[in-house]
Amino acid sequence: TTSVNVHGDAVVESWYLPMTAGAGQHSDGIVGVSIDITERAQMEQALRDSEAHYRTIMDQASEGIFVTDARGKVIDANRRGCEMFGYSRDEVLSMRPEQFHAPEEMASNPLRRDRIVAGETLVADRTGVRKDGSRFPTRSSTKLVAGKYVMAIVLDISAEARAADALRESTERARLLASATTDAVVVL
């Protein structure tokens, strides 16, 4: 029999075994061993608290966050990252980062994992590809974390791209209007 008991601030794990005189005979007593596992219990609680804190930050972030292992396999992703690309978390965890980007872009401008592992933080604008095949502009910041994981924070910059397009169109209309008139044009 094993039991864990809390005595004040101390946590004690105990094992009890019956003592017998021989096969088929009644127990002659019990042998018990108890060990103070307070430090281990505190470390386990600290780990649970840290994991809960990490998960809260990951899931509350408004950006997509993806973590890969040394081989480039996605080992963690937050809710926003999964939503952004239209995949379930289980699907994302079976993928590689290259699968989230336009194939032609990967051919001409591959991910630079070697530079990231060497300590560089890379910021890149790329074309993201959703599960349904639709494409959208992204900006990512990628860096090495804890010496062995690569973390990418990904933004959907569709609104920024639309605003830039609208500004270009407006500027072009103003230029055409100015070049088509013979009147003086004053821009304030």
Side-chain angles (χ1 to χ4, degrees):
T1 306
T2 302
S3 66
V4 176
N5 298 298
V6 178
H7 302 285
D9 289 337
V11 180
V12 177
E13 186 170 20
S14 302
W15 296 270
Y16 303 98
L17 300 169
M19 291 176 35
T20 59
Q25 296 185 4
H26 292 300
S27 173
D28 292 333
I30 296 175
V31 173
V33 176
S34 295
I35 298 175
D36 182 348
I37 61 166
T38 304
E39 189 174 329
R40 184 181 87 194
Q42 290 169 341
M43 287 189 297
E44 288 172 352
Q45 184 59 48
L47 179 60
R48 283 190 296 275
D49 292 347
S50 178
E51 288 171 346
H53 181 72
Y54 168 81
R55 183 55 44 203
T56 298
I57 291 170
M58 287 283 284
D59 287 340
Q60 293 302 315
S62 57
E63 298 84 11
I65 302 174
F66 300 88
V67 180
T68 64
D69 65 12
R71 295 178 313 274
K73 181 186 177 302
V74 178
I75 59 169
D76 200 6
N78 70 343
R79 177 188 47 77
R80 178 64 184 122
C82 296
E83 290 171 355
M84 187 183 303
F85 288 93
Y87 290 98
S88 71
R89 187 166 189 279
D90 286 340
E91 289 172 313
V92 167
L93 295 180
S94 69
M95 298 174 73
R96 297 183 57 79
E98 295 82 0
Q99 295 173 274
F100 297 104
H101 302 289
E104 64 278 5
E105 209 171 76
M106 290 293 90
S108 65
N109 186 17
L111 300 178
R112 296 302 313 263
R113 191 169 190 78
D114 57 328
R115 289 176 54 193
I116 296 164
V117 171
E120 286 187 57
T121 297
L122 299 183
V123 177
D125 288 356
R126 294 188 176 272
T127 302
V129 179
R130 293 185 183 94
K131 182 178 181 177
D132 67 6
S134 62
R135 294 174 177 227
F136 64 106
T138 66
R139 177 166 298 133
S140 63
S141 174
T142 308
K143 70 180 293 178
L144 189 65
V145 178
K148 62 181 178 177
Y149 302 108
V150 174
M151 178 180 283
I153 298 176
V154 181
L155 299 160
D156 177 343
I157 58 170
S158 297
E160 183 180 318
R162 284 191 298 271
D165 289 345
L167 179 60
R168 268 191 298 280
E169 289 174 16
S170 176
T171 302
E172 181 60 17
R173 280 194 305 272
R175 188 190 66 71
L176 289 173
L177 179 63
S179 67
T181 185
T182 57
D183 299 327
V185 176
V186 177
V187 178
L188 301 173

